[in-house]
Amino acid sequence: MNLTLRIWRQSGPDAPGAMTEYHVSGISPDMSFLEMLDTLNEELILRGDQPVAFDHDCREGICGACGMVINGQAHGPERTTTCQLHMRHFADGDTIDVEPWRAGAFPVVRDLVVDRSAFDRIIGSGGYITAPTGSAPEAHATPVPKDAADLAFEHAECIGCGACVAACPNGSAMLFTAAKVVHLNVLPQGAPERAGRARAMVEAMDAEGFGGCTNTGECATACPKGIPLTGISVLNREYLRGLR
Amino acid sequence: MALLTRAVRRPSTLATLWRSTVGKKAVMAVSGLVMLLYLVFHMLGNLKVFFGPGDLNGYAHWLRTLGEPLLHYGWFLWLARVVLLAAVVAHAVAAYQLSRRDAAARPQKYVHRRQRTSYATRTMRWGGVILGLFIVWHILDLTTLTVNPRGEEGHPYQNIVASFSTWYGGGIYCLAMLALGLHVRHGFWSAAQTLGANNPRRDRALKLTANATALLLTAGFLSVPVAVMTGVVR
C-alpha cells in the first residue's frame, strides 16, 4: 500500500505546530497503524529527520498508552485502540490525517504525544478504595452480588486512553470519570467512600478544565472498551446523591 | 485546649451545585422540565381554539380566576410567570456558562473535521437562542399585544386568528415550534440522563418518550396556525 499521511508536527509544548505531509510506500495491510508509523519513522531517521513522536506501550490494546485522532476519529475508523487498528481498514492511495488528542486539559508535549496527567489527578481525588494493602484478601470475605460485579467490571474495563475526551465536542472527561465512579461505587469495597467519591472526582475533573457533558454520545462511540453512555447517568446520580 | 474535632464546614449545597458542571446541568435539567411541563398544559389549552371563541376565551378568563378566593384575580398567572421567568433565566445562564466552558476546553480545533452527533444535538445551543427570541416575540404578540395586528384585550381567540393570518405571524410561530420539537427531543432524554434517571434498560424507553413528547408537542402547537392558515379556524 502507498499512503499519504498528514501528521501534526510540533517540536515542543510551546512551539507552533502544523500538519506535515509524508508519503509511505510498501505498507502491508496486516500492519497495525503504529507499525505503519514505525516504518515512516525508520525512513525519517535514515533521512536524518526527527521521527514522529507518539505514545505506545503494550500494543495489545490493553494499556491505554497509545491514541491519536485519525481522520477526525479518536483511534481511527475501527472501535479499538490505535495499536489494534490495522492498515487493511484503509485503501491503497488514501490520504490519512493524524492529529493528537485535542483538549485544553491535554496539552501537546510533542507531535502526537499529549500530557494526560490530568486523568491521574482525577484518579488521585477519589478513584481508589482505602484498604490496607499486602496479601490478597480472602475472596469470600466480601460477597458481591452478580449484577454489581458485572456492572463494576463493565466500567473497570476503562484503560484511561483519553479517546472520550478527544472525541467529545466539549472536551469533556465525563465518561472517564463515570467509568471510575461506577466501577467503585457499585462494589461493597467502595461503599465507605461512596458519598464523597463522585463529588471529589467531579470537582477534580472541573478543576482540570475539561468541558461539560451535552450527551452527544461521541465518547461512548469512540471508547475502545465500550464503556456505556448510561454510566454518565450513574455518575450524575452518585454526584447528586453525595450532595444530600 | 480545644481539640480539633470540628467537622470540615463545606459551602452550601446550592453553591456547590452551581459551581460544578454536573450541578449546573442538573439546574438546566430541572428548569427545562419545569418549562416542558408548562408547555404540555399550554399546548392542551391551545387546542380549545378548535371548540370556538367561547371555549377559548372562557378558558383564558378561567386561568385568571384560578385559585380564587385564596388568590386575587390574575395572581395565578403571575405566579406561573414568575416561576417560568426564573426557569428561563436559570436555564439560559447555565447554558451560557457551560457553553463558554465547553468552548474553552478545546482551544485548538481538529484540522480534519467530520459531521458528528445528530441534528437535534448539534442545534441545542442556537436552537435555544432562537426559542428565547421567539418567547420575546410571542409575549409581544399575544400577551402584551404590542405587535398583534388586532390586539384586543380579553379576546385571545380573535387575536390568535389575526396573528396567524399574517404570513410572518404564522411563519415565525411554525419555525419556532419545529425548533422546539428538536430542542425537546434531545433535551428531555438529556435531562433524564443528567438527573441520573437513565440506565441501560430504560435508555430506549426514555429516548422513545422524548421523541413522542417532542412530536406530540410540536404537532399540537402547529395545529393551531395550520388550522388558521387553512381556514379551518377563523
Side-chain angles (χ1 to χ4, degrees), chain A residues 38-229:
Chain A
D38 291 339
T39 310
L40 170 69
N41 278 345
E42 278 172 12
E43 280 175 33
L44 290 179
I45 291 164
L46 283 177
R47 265 198 265 153
D49 287 345
Q50 282 290 335
V52 177
F54 60 88
D55 264 330
H56 62 105
D57 193 12
C58 74
R59 298 209 179 195
E60 291 180 329
I62 54 168
C63 76
C66 67
M68 49 195 78
V69 173
I70 302 162
N71 283 340
Q73 282 177 286
H75 290 305
E78 293 293 304
R79 192 168 175 170
T80 182
T81 53
T82 306
C83 61
Q84 291 297 302
L85 172 68
H86 291 91
M87 297 313 294
R88 65 182 81 101
H89 298 295
F90 298 90
D92 188 34
D94 272 1
T95 299
I96 305 171
D97 289 335
V98 190
E99 296 171 76
W101 288 170
R102 289 289 185 207
F106 285 169
V108 172
V109 177
R110 186 190 181 100
D111 297 338
L112 304 173
V113 178
V114 296
D115 179 1
R116 283 171 289 187
S117 47
F119 270 10
D120 298 339
R121 290 187 287 274
I122 295 177
I123 292 291
S125 69
Y128 53 81
I129 62 161
T130 307
T133 54
S135 58
E138 212 311 290
H140 294 298
T142 316
V144 181
K146 178 79 166 81
D147 284 352
D150 287 348
L151 192 63
F153 197 80
E154 190 180 19
H155 290 82
E157 276 193 78
C158 171
I159 52 177
C161 65
C164 44
V165 175
C168 176
N170 310 322
S172 172
M174 282 289 276
L175 194 69
F176 168 78
T177 309
K180 306 303 172 189
V181 165
V182 178
H183 163 206
L184 296 173
N185 274 19
V186 299
L187 291 175
Q189 287 88 343
E193 284 150 313
R194 182 179 174 183
R197 179 173 289 116
R199 176 183 177 141
M201 291 184 79
V202 165
E203 272 170 13
M205 179 187 84
D206 285 349
E208 294 294 338
F210 289 108
C213 176
T214 50
N215 298 310
T216 66
E218 289 292 331
C219 54
T221 309
C223 177
K225 295 295 154 184
I227 307 295
L229 188 60

Side-chain angles (χ1 to χ4, degrees), chain B residues 61-97:
Chain B
H61 180 73
W62 172 76
L63 283 177
R64 284 157 180 80
T65 59
L66 199 64
E68 281 183 353
L70 180 67
L71 299 177
H72 189 66
Y73 177 85
W75 280 18
F76 172 79
L77 271 194
W78 278 108
L79 281 175
R81 282 166 184 162
V82 168
V83 171
L84 285 172
L85 186 68
V88 170
V89 169
H91 201 75
V93 171
Y96 174 76
Q97 292 181 351

Side-chain angles (χ1 to χ4, degrees), chain B residues 117-159:
Chain B
T117 70
S118 73
Y119 189 73
T121 312
R122 265 185 287 132
T123 52
M124 283 307 273
R125 289 183 181 128
W126 285 109
V129 171
I130 289 172
L131 287 174
L133 292 174
F134 169 73
I135 293 172
V136 174
W137 164 261
H138 192 53
I139 289 171
L140 290 176
D141 185 21
L142 291 165
T143 308
T144 64
L145 306 172
T146 319
V147 297
N148 192 279
R150 186 184 165 100
E152 199 181 335
E153 209 163 326
H155 295 81
Y157 182 95
Q158 288 75 6
N159 295 334

Side-chain angles (χ1 to χ4, degrees), chain B residues 195-218:
Chain B
L195 295 176
N198 200 8
N199 66 39
R201 259 169 298 137
R202 234 183 264 163
D203 194 43
R204 246 180 80 85
L206 275 171
K207 278 195 173 125
L208 269 172
T209 314
N211 290 352
T213 311
L215 198 69
L216 286 175
L217 208 58
T218 307

